[in-house]
Amino acid sequence: MYGRVTRYYHNKNYGFIYGEDGNTYFIHGSRLQGEYLDRGYYVYFRTFRTDRSDYNAKNVVVIDAPERRFRHGSSHK
């Protein structure tokens, strides 16, 4: 399934992906297999169920990691 990372808490090692099916999936850092995630990344992932939730992600692959956009302030031109 494809989706977009809505939040990822690096200090807590987990985050959430909004899937193409309209559901929000939980992703734990132990399931990333070396991938780096951040808000706005477009990803491909596999879904799985646990006794706590039907909406979990694993085997996440980053498809598109948009460049961060900086606001143009008066100190930068």
Side-chain angles (χ1 to χ4, degrees):
M1 179 176 309
Y2 292 93
R4 191 159 306 273
V5 177
T6 57
R7 289 175 296 224
Y8 195 82
Y9 304 101
H10 294 278
N11 59 331
K12 297 181 179 182
N13 207 27
Y14 72 86
F16 300 93
I17 300 170
Y18 184 74
E20 63 187 346
D21 63 352
N23 292 308
T24 297
Y25 292 84
F26 175 80
I27 179 65
H28 190 271
S30 65
R31 301 276 183 175
L32 289 179
Q33 300 178 352
E35 286 282 9
Y36 177 85
L37 293 186
D38 215 345
R39 184 175 170 217
Y41 283 21
Y42 186 65
V43 297
Y44 176 79
F45 62 99
R46 300 267 184 211
T47 64
F48 72 101
R49 294 180 178 169
T50 66
D51 58 345
R52 299 175 96 190
S53 172
D54 289 343
Y55 302 104
N56 298 282
K58 66 180 179 179
N59 300 76
V60 177
V61 177
V62 174
I63 303 298
D64 182 31
E67 293 180 5
R68 296 178 190 250
R69 296 170 198 237
F70 298 101
R71 292 183 182 163
H72 295 287
S74 58
S75 61
H76 293 51
K77 292 192 176 199

